[in-house]
Amino acid sequence: MRGFQEFVAARGQALSRTAFLLTGDHHAAADLLQETLVKVAGRWSRIAASGNPEAYIRTIMLNQLRSWRRPRKLAFFSTSEVPETAEPDPSGTTDSRVMLVRALAQLGAKQRAVLYLRFYEDLSEAEIARQLGCSVGTVKRHTHDALKRLRQLAPELLGA
């Protein structure tokens, strides 16, 4: 159990970011990570012996996300004006980030997973297909469709 605790202490933040990027919501990400780690804890010695426990944990995380019965989506409430206490973002990065998060929230879970694994984890299409249990062609289709949809949802990000 000590090896598991050390792994979580060392890689917990990265796994938390993975969960957030897959769900788009901090609370859902915390739930996803917690449920995944509970499953992993009982099998840690076997998982650690596999040689790449983080990839194995990401696969469990993806499977856990798929198994949730109700899709978890971000709820955004728009207002007609910005509160007076808000300061403008001089770099514009906050606005871009909010636009990206909103656009990603409108994609399907599998499309978000493919984009995350491809562009954040920098995995090849074959590795993604193996982790998601689908064909390389399906990965390519999800990537194409997701990027096309992001361009439609947030064309402002194209120049960023």
Side-chain angles (χ1 to χ4, degrees), residues 4-5 11 27 46 49 54 64 82 85 89 104 121 144:
F4 175 69
Q5 291 171 343
R11 300 299 302 156
H27 297 292
R46 190 177 55 175
E54 194 161 349
Q64 184 65 35
V82 178
T85 58
D89 180 19
L104 286 171
E121 290 292 331
H144 177 269

Side-chain angles (χ1 to χ4, degrees), residues 87-109:
E87 303 258 340
D89 180 19
S91 67
T93 56
T94 302
D95 293 336
S96 296
R97 185 179 185 108
V98 168
M99 272 189 278
L100 180 60
V101 168
R102 285 181 180 173
L104 286 171
Q106 294 182 48
L107 297 177

Side-chain angles (χ1 to χ4, degrees), residues 95-96 98-104 106 146-160:
D95 293 336
S96 296
V98 168
M99 272 189 278
L100 180 60
V101 168
R102 285 181 180 173
L104 286 171
Q106 294 182 48
L147 292 174
K148 181 179 177 182
R149 182 79 174 127
L150 284 178
R151 287 184 194 102
Q152 293 169 349
L153 293 170
E156 305 87 3
L157 295 175
L158 291 174

Side-chain angles (χ1 to χ4, degrees), residues 4 9 24 33 35 48 53 61 69-70 78 83 89 92 96 103 126-127 143:
F4 175 69
L33 181 57
E35 289 177 25
M61 207 178 290
R69 293 186 191 265
R70 289 186 296 167
S78 61
D89 180 19
S96 296
E127 292 169 319
T143 303

